[in-house]
Amino acid sequence: EEIGQSPSFYVGLDALAGVVQGAHGRTFATPTEFVCGDFVADPGLLKTSDPEVIVISGTLNTFTDKQFYQALDHAFEMASRCLLFNYLSTYHAPRFPANDGIIQRRDPVRVLQQGLQRTRHVILRHDYFDGHDCTMAWIKE
């Protein structure tokens, strides 16, 4: 798909059944499918429809470091064009909580280095929510 175009097909994957059930009741312009599952426990779920782009939003915030980097590596491998994801940054304003045993913040420099080991085409966005969140795209060459 070109930037600005809607995808030709969308698969939503969430580990929470309520989120998937709520999505089933909505109408979308793009043909959609919603799946309830845990892509860490079942990595094959990311290959459901031969995805061009995989987007991971919010899910990574409670992962251990090992789970975090394994999930990114696997998702990048499964996507034919791009992995787009967000996570909580260690470079955040003091008003936001630090790692607390549940939420885990990551150093964007380390995540950037991980991406650059896989591709030269990395986009990092760290200019919103006062550094609370970071978004990154790893684009295949």
Side-chain angles (χ1 to χ4, degrees):
E1 308 296 329
E2 295 298 319
I3 294 176
Q5 283 187 314
S6 295
S8 57
F9 189 75
Y10 175 87
V11 176
L13 171 64
D14 202 290
L16 301 174
V19 172
V20 173
Q21 290 169 350
H24 281 293
R26 299 183 58 197
T27 303
F28 298 91
T30 298
T32 60
E33 175 185 349
F34 296 97
V35 177
C36 185
D38 178 350
F39 74 91
V40 173
D42 184 1
L45 289 170
L46 291 179
K47 201 64 172 167
T48 302
S49 64
D50 197 25
E52 287 186 34
V53 177
I54 292 178
V55 178
I56 302 174
S57 181
T59 302
L60 302 169
N61 297 335
T62 60
F63 285 19
T64 65
D65 273 349
K66 181 179 179 181
Q67 290 172 323
F68 180 85
Y69 289 106
Q70 283 180 342
L72 294 181
D73 287 344
H74 181 70
F76 185 67
E77 181 182 317
M78 294 295 103
S80 65
R81 291 182 62 192
C82 176
L83 168 62
L84 177 66
F85 59 97
N86 72 343
Y87 56 94
L88 300 176
S89 172
T90 54
Y91 295 94
H92 58 90
R95 64 186 169 97
F96 295 115
N99 290 2
D100 66 2
I102 297 173
I103 66 162
Q104 299 297 313
R105 293 186 174 277
R106 301 298 185 308
D107 182 344
V109 175
R110 182 171 175 215
V111 181
L112 175 65
Q113 289 171 331
Q114 183 86 356
L116 289 170
Q117 290 175 5
R118 281 134 192 83
T119 178
R120 293 174 295 134
H121 302 283
V122 176
I123 299 170
L124 179 133
R125 179 122 192 242
H126 196 278
D127 61 338
Y128 62 101
F129 293 138
D130 209 8
H132 178 59
D133 277 23
C134 186
T135 297
M136 200 170 289
W138 297 355
I139 303 164
K140 293 196 174 179
E141 300 174 33

